Amino acid sequence: HSLSFVSSAAVHVEFYVDENTFKERLKLFFIKNQRSSLRIRIFNFCLKLLTCVLYIIRVMTDNPAQLRHTWELIFWVDRKVPVWAIQVSPKKSKYYSLQSVHVFFQGNIWEQIFQVSFLLEMLNTVPFIITIFWPPLRNLFIPVFLNCWLAKCALESMINDLHRAIQRTHSAMFNQVLILICTLLCLVFTGTCGIQHLERAGKKSLSLFNALYFCIVTFSTVGFGDVTPQIWPSQLLVVVMICVALVVLPLQFEELIYLWMERQKSGGNYSRHRAQTERHVVLCVSTLKIDLLMDFLNEFYAHPHTQDHYVVILCPCEVDVQVRRILQIPLWSQRVIYLQGSALKNQDLLRAKMDDAEACFILSSRNEADRMAADHQTILRAWAVKDFAPNCPLYVQILKPENKFHVKFADHVVCEEEFKYAMLALNCLCPATSTLITLLVHTSRGQEGQQSPEQWQRMYGRCSGNEVYHIRLGDSMFFREYNSKSFTYAAFHAHKKYGVCLIGVKREDDKSILLNPGPRHIMSASDTCYYINITKEENSAFILRQEEDQGKGRGHWDILNSPSGLPVHSIIASMGTVAMDFQNTSPTESSVKLLADSACLLPCDLLSDQSEDEAGQSDEDVTANEFVKGYPPNSPYIGSSPTLCHLLPQKAHFCCLRLDQSCEHVFFEDAKAYGFKNKLIIVSAETAGNGLYNFIVPLRAYYRPRRELNPIVLLLDNLPDDHFLEAISCFPMVYYMGGTIDNLDSLLQCGVLYADNLVVVDKESTMSAEEDYMADAKTIVNVQTMFRLFPSLSIITELTHPSNMRFMQFRAKDCYSLALSKLEKKERDKGSNLAFMFRLPFAAGRVFSISMLDTLLYQCFVKDYMIPIVRLLLGLDTTPGSGYLCAMHVCEADLWIHTYGRLFQKFCSSSSEIPIGIYRTESHASPEFQGSVITEGLNDTREKGEESKVLTRSSSSSDQLEHPLLRKKSLHWTRRLSRRSVKRCDSSLSSIHQRLGVLRRSEREELTELVRNRMQHLGLHTAGYNELNDQQNSISYVLINPAPDTLLQLNDVVDFGHNKLQLLFILFVFFVDF
């Protein structure tokens, strides 16, 4: 075989040579090129309109008297030479251009010839071409008015090319409306010109106006009959036109209605003109629920600055009936626009005018069974919006903390599990932290419950109106006079003078917010102050109020006429001044002197451990000395904020973390055997997700005293993996075990009898249910069972839907709860955003729903500092020099303070602590009026005619003396709401109490026996299980920044804890003696 060698010389290859032909060049010019094609369409449309106008001019100048025979008027007209010349001039060029396009580029020539448009073109063009060569035919009638249909086709093609040139894709509705209008105009114009021309042969000709009048009356089905066609050709034309209208118009109306219905489903477009002249925000969601929509609208439009904003909702799902009904309410119909579309499509983002939006809110679907998949969808939406509109501020809600770093470019990010677990953890240390944060992030005017005769409801509702605001110190009336003073000095005097609570500050040259930086921080005119108040300073009026003498009737609590207004036996000092104790001196021997403010006093060490300052540790605290301070070495996810914590010197073995199983290092198998000095905190969760890490960190933070650390037990449905165990193995006294809360054996093994708090986390597998509000059914029933088994246990529950909190600790015959339910309905009817706040479990911080924190993201549109402040309060972020949130018990030695304002000064002067609220517990039941617990066993044994007594709140002895009418009104209010009659029969009441006591004791004995039997079966010691203490008949609630003159009650809490540089949240409990 021989090899053939080919020359290796380079060969030039030309591509797309087929486009260089004459035919392809013409096709490119007439069809493919958008701009040239659009110009040709416009030119063609103008020619067609010109021919129609020339026909009208010809009719106006026509003189039919020149013709003798009647039927000749149909075939011949009086066409003036100038009109003929103008009509002929465009015909030749138009003929050749259109013929070239049709012949060369429109496919089969026979198909083009038999098209209606081509036939009409020939009918109006060929006769004029013939008249050029045969002058006698110049007066021949040519139906030029039929060019209106060709003009209609040219207009449709022109609009299509225009939309293609400007990249407008959503034009079907516009096109269909245009086609319908053009069809109507063409029908009317054709009928008008045709009837006018045919009636020339009749006895009485019609003018164009009369012919137009006849067509309008006929097509509108009115038919007055004053103008009618006289000869059969015109009558035949009317019949043909009516038949055409009956066929063409219904088809086009049907198409228009179909497009309109589709447009209603998709929502249409947000107009460009409105986007450029008005302000709007875009809300991107996967599915739109009625609760989410109302929370967003109520919170977003609660601020005066957002009243003129439009809300554009972009959702891929079709709007449901409930949401559609809400959007039709006049309050929202003019401000809320629903668009069906996806944030991943640029066309839908263009419809929403995302590039002109003031902000874009991207919310995750928390009810999805796969929350990780929901986060992935949120991440893609955030990326798509950032790619399409890079300058649009993004407000993103994410579910899993490990996905947070994917959207860190967003302006504001709220990670649901981070906030949820941190808040649940602080609920164990600072009661009702969830209620405190929820009230702070909800916009309210503090009007809830003001019409109620119950004093606690009025105080609680009034204080719920407090929010966090900011103002520049140099522009503030509240804080301007404290320039160059210490932060604590400014906080105390601002609270004393104006009743505002200064909680934080930010330097002009620093982006970090400091919560209660203490006396070291010197206020500057450029500082931004963050304070809690009912309303912001700009909406406040300042009225000088004369102090009245409050010393009458107070015995030894006499008030001196000193500037501070303090009793001499108290600790006297403003923040930043020297504290002076005059407790053992008489008023005549000493006076009050306020020294100059100084930042060098009260030195504080941010990283100091308070437990180390205590003198003389006992042997019981030896194990606490084994802890070290440091940053956790293993973070379970990217993006977690480093927090200084109490850690073990060496990581615990994984086998040692299992509470219910012994190993070679630890031989204990239950919580009792460990002999913990402090009460346990038990967390019940489905899986050991990364969010649980944020539950442990606040409970092991460095500022928590070592001797007060509570053991943490994780009760998990599914055992954790090694990655999670590696992250928690460095923390002291953190254990886990497998089990569920619906299993009594699991609860007993994990130490529920020795626990102070049990936290029940909502399970992901139950968040999605066929009926939305049934997602919490299992959790609620299980918690109710624990509530009956362990009534003295503090159970903190997370629910999916806030409306289900009414079932927590449910007691069907509790008249007081029923009265509160009706109060909630009244507040909701008034338009309150916080109608659920009077539910006793929520007020006490026993129940929480993460959806309540959705408003935190919405508020950031107006208050961009809310997320950083809440993160600092919850301990998610730590800033050097910043304080933290903790609860402190007011001991009995502090009761002489008498009012909250003096308590504020006492803490400021002694330890630089700033109170922000009171957690108060009051008894609301008395032996005279028993409610749920007493009447629950009465249903089967009650004699006919007996009625259960109405439950009311008992006030203290001082309350009864000072407000006897209020107590009487309160009883009447509760009776009226509960709609139960009260019979005051002492003999029957005592007999009922005796029988119910037996029934109630038997029920408790059964529960006690059940628990003891299970403990014996598991081999647990029953010695630690005592008689259950029923503390169900009490009310707990939060008072945020109460008035300085709020009275402190007698017999308050006895414990007191001290921490430096902290934001104080006072735990204040009030027990009523009978």
Side-chain angles (χ1 to χ4, degrees):
H1 298 281
S2 59
L3 296 176
S4 59
F5 295 93
V6 182
S7 175
S8 60
V11 178
H12 177 70
V13 180
E14 294 184 0
F15 301 98
Y16 303 108
V17 293
D18 58 325
E19 295 184 357
N20 296 329
T21 62
F22 178 72
K23 179 179 180 180
E24 291 296 330
R25 290 179 181 273
L26 288 180
K27 184 182 293 186
L28 178 64
F29 180 76
F30 283 102
I31 299 177
K32 293 183 179 180
N33 189 286
Q34 298 176 359
R35 296 186 179 276
S36 60
S37 176
L38 179 61
R39 295 190 186 101
I40 293 174
R41 307 286 188 187
I42 294 175
F43 179 71
N44 188 23
F45 175 72
C46 294
L47 285 180
K48 301 304 179 185
L49 286 183
L50 177 61
T51 57
C52 294
V53 172
L54 290 175
Y55 178 84
I56 295 175
I57 295 175
R58 200 273 306 163
V59 172
M60 301 293 294
T61 58
D62 185 27
N63 186 10
Q66 296 180 359
L67 300 176
R68 301 177 181 179
H69 303 288
T70 303
W71 295 105
E72 291 182 356
L73 296 175
I74 297 178
F75 300 102
W76 299 95
V77 296
D78 182 19
R79 183 179 287 112
K80 302 297 187 294
V81 175
V83 175
W84 172 85
I86 297 175
Q87 286 181 324
V88 170
S89 58
K91 294 298 179 180
K92 186 174 182 180
S93 60
K94 183 64 179 175
Y95 172 75
Y96 287 117
S97 63
L98 290 178
Q99 290 306 307
S100 62
V101 172
H102 282 288
V103 171
F104 290 104
F105 307 111
Q106 297 297 327
N108 191 294
I109 187 173
W110 295 108
E111 294 179 0
Q112 302 298 319
I113 289 175
F114 289 104
Q115 284 186 354
V116 176
S117 60
F118 183 79
L119 294 176
L120 288 178
E121 194 73 48
M122 294 299 99
L123 180 63
N124 289 281
T125 304
V126 174
F128 279 105
I129 299 299
I130 295 175
T131 58
I132 297 176
F133 305 100
W134 196 357
L137 296 178
R138 292 179 179 178
N139 289 330
L140 180 68
F141 171 73
I142 302 174
V144 181
F145 58 84
L146 295 178
N147 277 334
C148 64
W149 296 97
L150 298 177
K152 170 181 171 292
C153 297
L155 179 62
E156 294 177 14
S157 301
M158 182 184 68
I159 295 298
N160 291 334
D161 288 341
L162 178 63
H163 290 170
R164 187 176 61 168
I166 64 178
Q167 299 296 318
R168 182 177 177 181
T169 58
H170 300 276
S171 56
M173 189 69 188
F174 176 81
N175 286 355
Q176 191 60 37
V177 172
L178 181 65
I179 291 173
L180 179 61
I181 294 175
C182 291
T183 302
L184 289 173
L185 291 177
C186 290
L187 285 173
V188 173
F189 185 73
T190 302
T192 300
C193 295
I195 292 174
Q196 186 275 332
H197 176 72
L198 293 177
E199 284 297 310
R200 294 170 74 248
K203 295 181 180 180
K204 185 178 180 181
S205 60
L206 293 177
S207 62
L208 278 177
F209 178 79
N210 289 334
L212 175 64
Y213 168 76
F214 170 76
C215 290
I216 296 296
V217 170
T218 302
F219 285 146
S220 63
T221 67
V222 177
F224 290 115
D226 53 344
V227 178
T228 57
Q230 300 297 325
I231 60 176
W232 68 268
S234 57
Q235 294 172 350
L236 179 62
L237 178 63
V238 172
V239 173
V240 173
M241 295 301 298
I242 291 176
C243 292
V244 173
L246 290 177
V247 173
V248 175
L249 292 181
L251 294 177
Q252 296 194 359
F253 272 112
E254 180 184 5
E255 184 68 20
L256 181 62
I257 293 173
Y258 172 77
L259 291 176
W260 176 259
M261 294 175 64
E262 292 297 322
R263 182 189 177 98
Q264 289 296 104
K265 293 180 181 179
S266 62
N269 298 330
Y270 185 70
S271 67
R272 173 67 63 179
H273 174 72
R274 179 181 291 179
Q276 294 177 349
T277 57
E278 305 287 347
R279 293 180 291 182
H280 77 286
V281 298
V282 180
L283 175 63
C284 296
V285 291
S286 298
T287 56
L288 186 62
K289 300 295 184 181
I290 186 66
D291 294 336
L292 184 146
L293 176 63
M294 294 311 301
D295 287 344
F296 178 84
L297 295 179
N298 289 329
E299 184 61 36
F300 184 80
Y301 284 113
H303 301 274
H305 298 295
T306 59
Q307 296 299 315
D308 58 343
H309 283 66
Y310 286 89
V311 173
V312 179
I313 303 173
L314 187 61
C315 179
C317 300
E318 184 179 348
V319 57
D320 60 15
V321 178
Q322 289 184 337
V323 174
R324 187 184 298 277
R325 188 181 299 116
I326 291 296
L327 296 182
Q328 291 175 349
I329 297 177
L331 178 63
W332 310 121
S333 61
Q334 303 299 324
R335 296 191 287 183
V336 182
I337 301 171
Y338 186 93
L339 303 181
Q340 183 178 354
S342 173
L344 271 63
K345 296 181 179 179
N346 287 345
Q347 296 87 347
D348 294 331
L349 295 178
L350 184 62
R351 290 169 55 204
K353 303 301 180 291
M354 185 68 73
D355 50 343
D356 295 325
E358 296 284 325
C360 176
F361 295 89
I362 303 178
L363 305 183
S364 295
S365 180
R366 65 167 54 91
N367 295 331
E368 293 289 337
D370 190 352
R371 294 166 67 86
M372 186 65 70
D375 270 354
H376 293 166
Q377 297 174 11
T378 302
I379 293 169
L380 288 184
R381 290 191 184 95
W383 289 356
V385 173
K386 194 65 176 180
D387 178 71
F388 181 84
N391 296 325
C392 179
L394 280 180
Y395 298 75
V396 181
Q397 179 192 70
I398 210 77
L399 301 179
K400 295 288 187 177
E402 55 265 31
N403 296 322
K404 188 177 64 172
F405 78 101
H406 290 295
V407 292
K408 65 179 181 180
F409 58 85
D411 298 81
H412 300 279
V413 179
V414 171
C415 181
E416 180 177 292
E417 288 196 0
E418 270 191 340
F419 282 86
K420 175 179 72 175
Y421 281 105
M423 191 173 300
L424 293 174
L426 280 185
N427 255 6
C428 301
L429 300 178
C430 309
T433 299
S434 58
T435 304
L436 171 72
I437 299 298
T438 301
L439 296 179
L440 283 178
V441 300
H442 273 78
T443 301
S444 171
R445 300 177 66 90
Q447 301 298 323
E448 288 81 5
Q450 297 308 299
Q451 303 300 322
S452 171
E454 292 284 330
Q455 182 181 6
W456 78 269
Q457 294 173 2
R458 294 196 303 272
M459 292 180 60
Y460 176 51
R462 177 64 176 170
C463 293
S464 68
N466 282 278
E467 298 179 44
V468 181
Y469 300 99
H470 77 295
I471 193 171
R472 187 174 177 271
L473 186 138
D475 303 331
S476 172
M477 191 73 177
F478 287 156
F479 312 110
R480 182 171 52 196
E481 59 185 296
Y482 309 122
N483 187 19
S484 301
K485 303 293 183 180
S486 69
F487 175 87
T488 321
Y489 181 91
F492 161 64
H493 285 280
H495 182 268
K496 177 184 176 182
K497 187 173 182 179
Y498 301 105
V500 300
C501 181
L502 179 64
I503 63 171
V505 68
K506 182 178 71 172
R507 290 289 192 189
E508 185 179 16
D509 54 350
D510 191 0
K511 296 182 180 180
S512 300
I513 298 176
L514 301 178
L515 294 184
N516 186 17
R520 289 180 175 180
H521 183 91
I522 303 302
M523 306 295 288
S524 174
S526 60
D527 287 354
T528 301
C529 301
Y530 300 93
Y531 61 96
I532 297 177
N533 197 22
I534 292 292
T535 183
K536 60 182 180 179
E537 180 182 325
E538 292 84 344
N539 298 336
S540 303
F542 299 93
I543 302 174
L544 184 62
R545 182 178 63 181
Q546 299 293 334
E547 296 290 341
E548 298 179 358
D549 184 11
Q550 302 291 336
K552 297 180 179 180
R554 292 186 181 175
H556 62 278
W557 285 334
D558 294 331
I559 299 178
L560 297 179
N561 295 324
S562 61
S564 62
L566 290 172
V568 291
H569 60 272
S570 65
I571 301 176
I572 307 295
S574 298
M575 274 320 303
T577 63
V578 177
M580 304 178 66
D581 189 356
F582 292 98
Q583 185 172 357
N584 297 322
T585 58
S586 61
T588 59
E589 296 176 353
S590 61
S591 60
V592 179
K593 295 183 179 180
L594 298 180
L595 304 183
D597 179 74
S598 174
C600 63
L601 301 178
L602 295 178
C604 301
D605 183 8
L606 179 63
L607 300 180
S608 63
D609 188 0
Q610 285 78 16
S611 61
E612 296 174 353
D613 297 333
E614 299 175 357
Q617 290 184 337
S618 63
D619 295 338
E620 299 177 353
D621 298 330
V622 174
T623 57
N625 293 328
E626 298 177 358
F627 303 156
V628 296
K629 287 190 299 183
Y631 294 98
N634 297 97
S635 176
Y637 61 91
I638 301 175
S640 61
S641 300
T643 303
L644 199 64
C645 299
H646 296 293
L647 304 176
L648 293 172
Q650 294 181 352
K651 290 185 179 180
H653 298 88
F654 289 175
C655 58
C656 300
L657 301 178
R658 187 72 181 261
L659 181 71
D660 57 339
Q661 291 183 3
S662 61
C663 63
E664 58 181 348
H665 312 98
V666 179
F667 304 100
F668 307 134
E669 294 183 354
D670 60 84
K672 175 65 176 177
Y674 278 84
F676 296 121
K677 300 300 185 296
N678 295 327
K679 292 282 190 177
L680 277 68
I681 295 177
I682 303 176
V683 185
S684 173
E686 184 176 19
T687 58
N690 293 328
L692 272 175
Y693 179 81
N694 294 293
F695 183 91
I696 299 173
V697 168
L699 300 178
R700 293 295 179 263
Y702 72 95
Y703 44 77
R704 307 295 177 193
R706 292 177 178 176
R707 62 182 180 84
E708 296 180 5
L709 296 182
N710 299 91
I712 302 174
V713 178
L714 308 179
L715 184 62
L716 305 174
D717 294 4
N718 304 312
L719 296 181
D721 54 14
D722 292 344
H723 179 67
F724 179 79
L725 295 178
E726 182 71 22
I728 68 172
S729 60
C730 59
F731 295 104
M733 294 186 295
V734 177
Y735 308 92
Y736 78 95
M737 64 169 287
T740 58
I741 58 174
D742 56 356
N743 189 334
L744 181 58
D745 293 352
S746 299
L747 291 173
L748 294 175
Q749 278 187 307
C750 71
V752 68
L753 299 178
Y754 316 106
D756 201 13
N757 292 276
L758 172 60
V759 179
V760 181
V761 181
D762 199 8
K763 298 182 179 180
E764 296 181 12
S765 60
T766 62
M767 287 184 177
S768 58
E770 294 182 0
E771 185 178 350
D772 288 340
Y773 294 94
M774 284 296 178
D776 297 318
K778 185 176 181 180
T779 301
I780 293 174
V781 174
N782 289 336
V783 171
Q784 180 74 0
T785 302
M786 291 188 295
F787 175 67
R788 301 298 296 271
L789 289 174
F790 312 104
S792 60
L793 179 64
S794 175
I795 306 176
I796 304 170
T797 310
E798 182 205 359
L799 298 179
T800 302
H801 300 284
S803 59
N804 287 334
M805 69 175 61
R806 65 183 186 273
F807 302 120
M808 300 303 300
Q809 302 179 6
F810 184 75
R811 290 175 286 188
K813 297 180 176 63
D814 189 347
C815 304
Y816 195 79
S817 297
L818 295 177
L820 292 178
S821 177
K822 295 185 179 182
L823 175 63
E824 176 184 350
K825 295 176 182 177
K826 287 187 177 181
E827 295 296 335
R828 184 177 290 107
D829 293 339
K830 294 178 182 178
S832 172
N833 301 336
L834 295 171
F836 56 82
M837 62 178 293
F838 292 104
R839 289 290 181 180
L840 296 182
F842 172 78
R846 298 287 188 266
V847 65
F848 167 72
S849 176
I850 189 60
S851 61
M852 297 177 182
L853 281 187
D854 288 346
T855 56
L856 174 62
L857 191 65
Y858 312 152
Q859 271 201 2
C860 287
F861 182 71
V862 178
K863 306 175 182 178
D864 57 356
Y865 49 84
M866 282 304 299
I867 291 180
I869 287 181
V870 174
R871 291 184 65 90
L872 289 173
L873 286 173
L874 297 180
L876 291 172
D877 291 337
T878 55
T879 304
S882 180
Y884 57 91
L885 181 67
C886 77
M888 303 187 71
H889 300 261
V890 179
C891 64
E892 191 172 358
D894 298 316
L895 293 180
W896 55 265
I897 300 175
H898 194 61
T899 63
Y900 177 76
R902 294 178 184 172
L903 183 69
F904 195 102
Q905 180 174 9
K906 192 263 184 184
F907 285 120
C908 286
S909 61
S910 60
S911 56
S912 303
E913 296 160 345
I914 298 178
I916 63 173
I918 297 176
Y919 179 73
R920 178 171 293 176
T921 299
E922 298 179 354
S923 174
H924 75 292
S926 68
E928 297 179 0
F929 299 97
Q930 298 285 341
S932 165
V933 179
I934 293 182
T935 59
E936 280 179 355
L938 181 61
N939 195 26
D940 297 333
T941 60
R942 178 185 305 173
E943 295 181 1
K944 189 174 181 179
E946 287 184 321
E947 300 288 341
S948 62
K949 304 303 178 181
V950 179
L951 181 66
T952 61
R953 180 186 67 88
S954 296
S955 57
S956 63
S957 57
S958 59
D959 255 349
Q960 296 175 6
L961 293 176
E962 296 177 6
H963 306 287
L965 295 179
L966 181 61
R967 175 177 172 82
K968 182 177 180 180
K969 184 180 180 182
S970 173
L971 296 176
H972 174 71
W973 171 78
T974 311
R975 295 191 194 99
R976 178 171 54 84
L977 287 181
S978 60
R979 297 179 180 177
R980 295 174 180 266
S981 61
V982 179
K983 297 183 178 181
R984 299 182 179 274
C985 181
D986 295 338
S987 58
S988 60
L989 181 61
S990 60
S991 62
I992 291 174
H993 287 172
Q994 292 175 1
R995 285 180 292 170
L996 291 180
V998 175
L999 292 174
R1000 191 178 179 190
R1001 282 195 300 272
S1002 63
E1003 179 183 345
R1004 286 197 172 186
E1005 289 175 357
E1006 290 181 7
L1007 295 176
T1008 303
E1009 189 66 23
L1010 172 64
V1011 175
R1012 289 184 182 274
N1013 290 338
R1014 296 312 305 163
M1015 293 180 68
Q1016 293 176 359
H1017 176 75
L1018 296 173
L1020 303 178
H1021 298 285
T1022 59
Y1025 181 65
N1026 299 321
E1027 182 68 21
L1028 298 175
N1029 295 321
D1030 192 355
Q1031 299 179 2
Q1032 300 176 2
N1033 299 322
S1034 62
I1035 297 176
S1036 300
Y1037 54 94
V1038 176
L1039 299 178
I1040 304 176
N1041 188 30
D1045 57 353
T1046 301
L1047 297 178
L1048 304 180
Q1049 306 289 350
L1050 294 176
N1051 301 322
D1052 292 346
V1053 184
V1054 293
D1055 291 332
F1056 180 84
H1058 178 70
N1059 287 305
K1060 296 180 180 178
L1061 285 181
Q1062 62 191 2
L1063 203 63
L1064 182 65
F1065 179 67
I1066 302 174
L1067 180 62
F1068 180 72
V1069 183
F1070 167 50
F1071 298 101
V1072 178
D1073 295 331
F1074 302 104

